[in-house]
Amino acid sequence: MVSRTFWVGGNWKMNGSVAAIKDLATTFNAGSSPSDVEVVIGAPFVYVHLLSESLRKDWAVAGENCYVESSGAYTGEISPEMLKDVGAQWVILGHSERRSILGESDDFTAQKCVKALAAGLKVALCVGELLEEREAGITQQVVERQLDAVIKVLKEEDWANVVIAYEPVWAIGTGKVATPDQAQETHAAIREYLKKAISPKVAEETRIAYGGSVNGKNCKEAAQKPDVDGFLVGGASLKPEFLDIVNATQ
């Protein structure tokens, strides 16, 4: 069995200020971070450079979205090349808020993945179902549909630079959390689908993180599940307790 490096990502969403980011960076820089855990912080565009300059160098910085072009008449958009230019190494794509609130399609998300990877960014690809979809028993169909769009356009070797973040929409910011067994069940099904749709190698090596109201108290049990390879953390990544999640496997 391949040993997959545990991955912990923070997603600050539309939160933060110059003062708050400097304070958080100071806190995180002074904290304990295991050498066998990869840590990435996603910040709003306007704070990516500040965070990359302030944050410890064994952690990486992510943009929270990008566009499918390098430049041009796309007012308000940000290219992957721009993110790299100000210090980002990762980008978060396909988040449910972009899918459900802004109406971004599976195919558009897939195009973004292609562009970001070509520009040299790594991708945290978010997938997940709505509450009504889970209650209807179609979680796996939804996740496979979201993955299919990306599988069709990536080369097999691209997946070495992708982390899949399974985020059940009903658990994001609600305080509700998928149980460790629910997370493991869906992650194992995703891994089995990658084996069938791409290759056993990609299935074994791709990291699948869980996201959805993760905090310092509920992370440790889920971290022990064999197919939970990390977390994508929302609100708790804006607090010192994020360090507890970074150390969940210790």
Side-chain angles (χ1 to χ4, degrees), residues 37-211:
V37 175
E38 184 174 10
V39 185
V40 179
I41 300 286
F45 293 138
V46 294
Y47 298 128
V48 167
H49 184 259
L50 172 63
L51 184 60
S52 69
E53 292 289 308
S54 306
L55 193 64
R56 56 193 299 164
K57 299 310 174 190
D58 58 336
W59 291 17
V61 176
E64 296 180 355
N65 183 43
C66 70
Y67 194 56
V68 297
E69 300 289 349
S70 299
S71 62
Y74 307 104
T75 302
E77 294 294 343
I78 303 290
S79 72
E81 291 86 353
M82 290 175 177
L83 288 176
K84 281 195 69 179
D85 193 38
V86 294
Q89 296 156 277
W90 286 77
V91 64
I92 300 168
L93 297 175
H95 195 280
S96 65
E97 291 152 4
R98 301 206 64 86
R99 295 179 188 266
S100 62
I101 297 174
L102 298 174
E104 295 187 358
S105 68
D106 299 336
D107 288 339
F108 190 41
T109 298
Q111 293 171 33
K112 291 182 180 186
C113 290
V114 171
K115 179 61 180 173
L117 291 164
L121 292 175
K122 297 181 179 181
V123 171
L125 170 63
C126 301
V127 297
E129 82 283 6
L130 300 169
L131 179 59
E132 54 266 35
E133 292 168 334
R134 171 162 283 273
E135 290 176 341
I138 59 171
T139 293
Q140 193 58 26
Q141 292 97 309
V142 171
V143 170
E144 289 180 7
R145 187 203 74 221
Q146 293 167 342
L147 288 171
D148 272 342
V150 182
I151 290 169
K152 289 175 184 175
V153 295
L154 293 193
K155 300 184 292 291
E156 181 169 341
E157 57 266 28
D158 289 332
W159 288 91
N161 292 311
V162 177
V163 166
I164 295 171
Y166 166 61
E167 292 198 303
V169 181
W170 47 271
I172 298 173
T174 63
K176 297 179 181 179
V177 185
T179 67
D181 286 341
Q182 284 176 319
Q184 168 58 27
E185 178 183 27
T186 303
H187 285 217
I190 290 172
R191 200 173 305 285
E192 188 61 30
Y193 187 68
L194 295 177
K195 181 178 179 180
K196 178 176 68 173
I198 309 174
S199 73
K201 182 177 187 291
V202 167
E204 184 65 24
E205 295 179 356
T206 300
R207 291 173 291 178
I208 307 172
Y210 170 76

